[in-house]
């Protein structure tokens, strides 16, 4: 319900329209503009959708000014400390934390559908031996649509629930196959005796004929990373999944489109780009030069892992990961380049004192430190965004499910401001 309106008036025509204002649980209220075209003959223009709410959602809330992130009302700090990734998946999809019995049943139901059809393995063989694994992830997710297309009625709640479980269950296996293809290792299979994240690590790192022994610290570190990347309201990749879903596309194809969007270095590809940047910086003495480049408008270099469309304060996920870096880097033998973390902290310290970053409220985001933990876990640089995609698949599919159950469901179709040529007649080629 709306308790008041915003009036939009056109000074040229003298016309005006009353737009109903809606308030949410938290955050800025919104005013609905659906009557503006009919009343004023105008559309709104909002490049990058910086000022536009695309939907009502009850899944995740961000407060950019105060660095707050809630999933179904639970603060990310508490979920990071007490929960597991699979429990957060349940929370995102069902809206409540499960009882022990509910969680155990959910864990079994996800494991039951975690295997991937053997024929899917053939898709990997079509990629170059050194292909970027995100290109495999996008391709194989799209291929998944052909394996579940025949019995997929997206308007059937049970089909939707099964699809959500299938995607959450299968993403670790799809990602692990990307990694093993690059490493020249035989593909592995899901192990139902292991919990979700440990199973993921087993599928990634086990060696033929050797019993895989998971390091509990490493499993906890990866589970934490996956909790922190699970959902983030209407970010670019989630908005892509919603737009594809609004056309009633296969949810597998919609998730493939989301993965393609996440790959961009302005979005989920930033975690890999941060490490490339730290390697390019090398010694801490070079930091000032790179900060100067980031401020130079004639240089398209940006400080990877800094800035955020919504957070104009510390990304709460970056704070949690930063602390976890201290624990992981000190304790994990595989952190063979501890200087990376030191350079990252020095870069953060210098940038946060620089007027350019202060003025623009540019703070470290989730990607700034995540690569350091993934590296300490022995995950190669090219796999970082794949790891992000495995985690974010829960958010993508939860948001897709919410879209499909939205009473205001309709196909997304933005308008434009046409600035091209006026109408003109075709000119035969010999007269041009
Ligand atoms: C993720 O949306 C989400 O929630 C995403 C995410 C999720 O969980 O889904 O949180 C994950 O994508 C995190 C962001 C990862 N990307 C990076 O770290 C790449 C580096 N960051 C920038 O590309 C940028 O900050 C964005 C893309 C994140 C945000 O871009 P905006 O909101 O469009 O900001 P902008 O381009 O309008 O920048 C405002 C000003 C500009 O300067 P002026 O024109 O005002 O002088 O800040 C400057 C920008 O040039 N700026 C930067 C900068 N980010 C913004 N300058 C240097 N380095 C940067 N990183």
């Amino acid at each position: 319900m709306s308790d008041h309106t915003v009036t939009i008036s056109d000074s040229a025509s003298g016309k005006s329209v009353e737009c109903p204002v809606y308030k949410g649980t938290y955050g800025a209220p919104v005013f609905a503009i659906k009557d503006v075209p009919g009343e004023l003959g105008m559309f709104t223009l909002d490049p990058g959708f910086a000022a536009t709410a695309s939907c009502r959602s009850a899944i995740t809330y961000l407060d950019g000014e105060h660095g707050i992130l809630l999933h179904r009302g639970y603060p990310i700090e508490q979920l990071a400390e007490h929960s597991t990734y699979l429990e957060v998946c349940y929370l995102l999809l069902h809206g409540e934390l499960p009882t022990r019995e509910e969680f155990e049943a959910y864990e079994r139901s996800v494991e039951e559908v975690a295997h991937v059809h053997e024929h899917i393995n053939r898709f990997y063989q079509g990629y170059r031996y050194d292909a970027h694994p995100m290109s495999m992830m996008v391709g194989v997710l799209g291929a998944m649509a052909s394996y579940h297309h025949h019995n997929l009625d997206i308007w059937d709640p049970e089909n939707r629930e099964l699809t959500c479980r299938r995607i959450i269950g299968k993403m670790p296996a799809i990602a692990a196959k990307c990694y093993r293809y690059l490493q020249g290792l035989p593909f592995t299979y899901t192990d139902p005796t292991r919990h979700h994240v440990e199973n993921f690590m087993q599928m990634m790192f086990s060696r033929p004929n050797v019993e895989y022994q998971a390091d509990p610290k490493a499993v906890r570190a990866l589970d934490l990373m996956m909790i922190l990347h699970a959902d983030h309201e209407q970010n670019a990749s989630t908005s892509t999944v919603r737009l594809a879903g609004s056309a009633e596309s296969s949810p597998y194809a919609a998730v493939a489109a989301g993965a393609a969007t996440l790959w961009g270095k302005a979005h989920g590809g930033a975690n890999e780009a941060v490490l490339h940047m730290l390697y390019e910086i090398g010694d801490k003495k070079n930091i000032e030069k790179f900060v100067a480049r980031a401020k130079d408008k004639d240089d398209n270099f940006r400080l990877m892992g800094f800035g955020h469309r919504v957070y104009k304060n510390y990304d709460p996920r970056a704070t949690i990961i930063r602390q976890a870096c201290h624990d992981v880097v000190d304790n994990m033998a595989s952190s063979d380049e501890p200087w990376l973390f030191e350079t990252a902290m020095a870069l953060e310290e210098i940038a946060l004192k620089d007027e350019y970053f202060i003025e623009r409220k540019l703070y470290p985001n989730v990607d700034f430190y995540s690569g350091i933990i993934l590296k300490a876990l022995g995950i190669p640089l090219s796999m970082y965004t794949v790891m992000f995609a495995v985690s974010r698949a829960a958010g993508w599919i939860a948001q897709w499910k919410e879209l499909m159950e939205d009473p205001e469901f309709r196909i997304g179709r933005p308008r434009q401001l046409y600035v091209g040529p006026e109408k003109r007649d075709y000119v035969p080629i010999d007269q041009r």
Side-chain angles (χ1 to χ4, degrees):
M1 283 301 291
S2 168
D3 59 8
H4 73 283
T5 62
V6 159
T7 303
I8 298 179
S9 302
D10 174 11
S11 57
S13 67
K15 292 180 181 176
S16 66
V17 59
E18 297 297 315
C19 300
V21 171
Y22 298 103
K23 286 182 183 173
T25 312
Y26 298 127
V30 298
F31 59 89
I33 56 173
K34 70 181 176 59
D35 296 334
V36 171
E39 296 296 329
L40 300 186
M42 295 186 192
F43 295 115
T44 57
L45 180 64
D46 183 20
F49 308 114
T52 296
S54 61
C55 63
R56 287 178 168 83
S57 180
I59 299 173
T60 292
Y61 172 67
L62 309 186
D63 176 334
E65 289 306 318
H66 302 96
I68 292 170
L69 169 55
L70 307 177
H71 288 316
R72 302 287 191 180
Y74 293 98
I76 191 64
E77 294 81 3
Q78 294 183 27
L79 294 172
E81 185 178 352
H82 302 298
S83 189
T84 63
Y85 171 70
L86 196 59
E87 184 178 72
V88 169
C89 290
Y90 184 99
L91 174 66
L92 293 174
L93 282 157
H94 296 84
E96 299 295 336
L97 288 171
T99 62
R100 184 176 298 281
E101 292 72 23
E102 286 169 336
F103 178 71
E104 288 172 355
Y106 181 68
E107 185 172 37
R108 283 193 303 276
S109 70
V110 168
E111 171 41 49
E112 282 163 10
V113 294
H115 63 278
V116 172
H117 194 293
E118 198 69 7
H119 291 177
I120 284 281
N121 295 342
R122 300 173 183 169
F123 286 93
Y124 293 85
Q125 307 311 324
Y127 288 90
R128 258 175 66 108
Y129 60 90
D130 61 350
H132 194 290
M134 275 306 288
S135 61
M136 299 183 207
M137 171 65 79
V138 171
V140 171
L141 280 173
M144 292 295 289
S146 65
Y147 285 79
H148 303 293
H149 192 74
H150 56 287
N151 65 356
L152 187 59
D153 170 7
I154 54 176
W155 298 110
D156 173 346
E158 285 185 18
N159 266 205
R160 287 200 297 271
E161 200 280 328
L162 172 57
T163 298
C164 293
R165 273 192 292 122
R166 275 176 168 157
I167 286 176
I168 289 169
K170 296 176 191 297
M171 279 299 274
I174 292 171
K177 292 173 191 285
C178 294
Y179 170 76
R180 295 188 72 95
Y181 182 77
L182 293 177
Q183 301 291 321
L185 289 168
F187 287 159
T188 46
Y189 292 89
T190 178
D191 174 353
T193 67
R194 296 177 194 259
H195 295 302
H196 196 68
V197 171
E198 183 186 329
N199 193 14
F200 182 16
M201 293 187 80
Q202 173 275 129
M203 287 190 281
M204 288 263 288
F205 297 124
S206 63
R207 289 293 180 268
N209 309 316
V210 176
E211 173 67 22
Y212 178 71
Q213 296 294 337
D215 172 350
K217 286 194 180 73
V219 174
R220 177 61 196 139
L222 182 55
D223 199 301
L224 170 65
M225 293 296 289
M226 292 179 71
I227 290 172
L228 297 176
H229 288 78
D231 188 53
H232 214 236
E233 60 135 90
Q234 306 313 316
N235 58 83
S237 54
T238 299
S239 298
T240 299
V241 172
R242 278 181 170 261
L243 195 56
S246 77
E248 300 183 44
S249 298
S250 154
Y252 298 95
V255 165
T261 306
L262 185 77
W263 192 4
K265 74 173 185 177
H267 189 14
N271 54 13
E272 178 181 346
V274 166
L275 265 289
H276 286 306
M277 176 183 71
L278 291 176
Y279 280 121
E280 197 180 351
I281 291 172
D283 192 285
K284 285 188 273 192
K285 70 179 186 306
N286 300 322
I287 288 176
E288 292 288 353
K289 182 174 66 174
F290 280 83
V291 169
R293 283 189 58 195
K295 295 157 53 175
D296 179 358
K297 290 304 169 199
D298 296 326
D299 187 336
N300 63 11
F301 173 80
R302 285 195 162 186
L303 223 46
M304 291 290 108
F306 263 79
H308 197 277
R309 173 62 56 78
V310 177
Y311 288 125
K312 301 309 173 189
N313 197 321
Y314 241 93
D315 181 337
R317 302 167 298 174
T319 306
I320 296 167
I321 294 177
R322 188 176 192 271
Q323 179 49 48
C325 273
H326 283 291
D327 308 335
V328 170
V329 165
D330 295 345
N331 302 332
M332 301 267 312
S334 58
S335 57
D336 50 1
E337 294 173 300
W339 64 268
L340 279 169
F341 185 39
E342 290 155 20
T343 299
M345 288 196 293
L347 175 58
E348 176 191 30
E349 185 181 352
I350 291 168
L352 293 184
K353 289 176 182 163
D354 188 294
E355 194 46 45
Y356 174 93
F357 292 85
I358 295 168
E359 189 183 303
R360 291 167 179 79
K361 298 184 178 181
L362 302 176
Y363 289 87
N365 58 50
V366 67
D367 295 300
F368 187 64
Y369 283 107
S370 55
I372 293 168
I373 288 191
L374 294 173
K375 179 171 177 44
L377 291 173
I379 294 165
L381 201 41
S382 64
M383 282 288 293
Y384 287 7
T385 307
V386 169
M387 304 305 282
F388 194 151
V390 174
S391 170
R392 185 54 56 88
W396 288 336
I397 203 66
Q399 298 268 353
W400 170 81
K401 180 173 176 286
E402 186 178 65
L403 164 85
M404 300 310 291
E405 294 164 1
D406 188 334
E408 294 181 304
F409 177 93
R410 60 189 309 208
I411 188 168
R413 205 290 187 200
R415 303 305 298 269
Q416 65 171 18
L417 177 65
Y418 175 69
V419 294
E422 292 182 5
K423 183 172 176 291
R424 51 185 171 166
D425 294 327
Y426 182 81
V427 177
I429 192 165
D430 297 329
Q431 296 173 29
R432 293 173 196 160

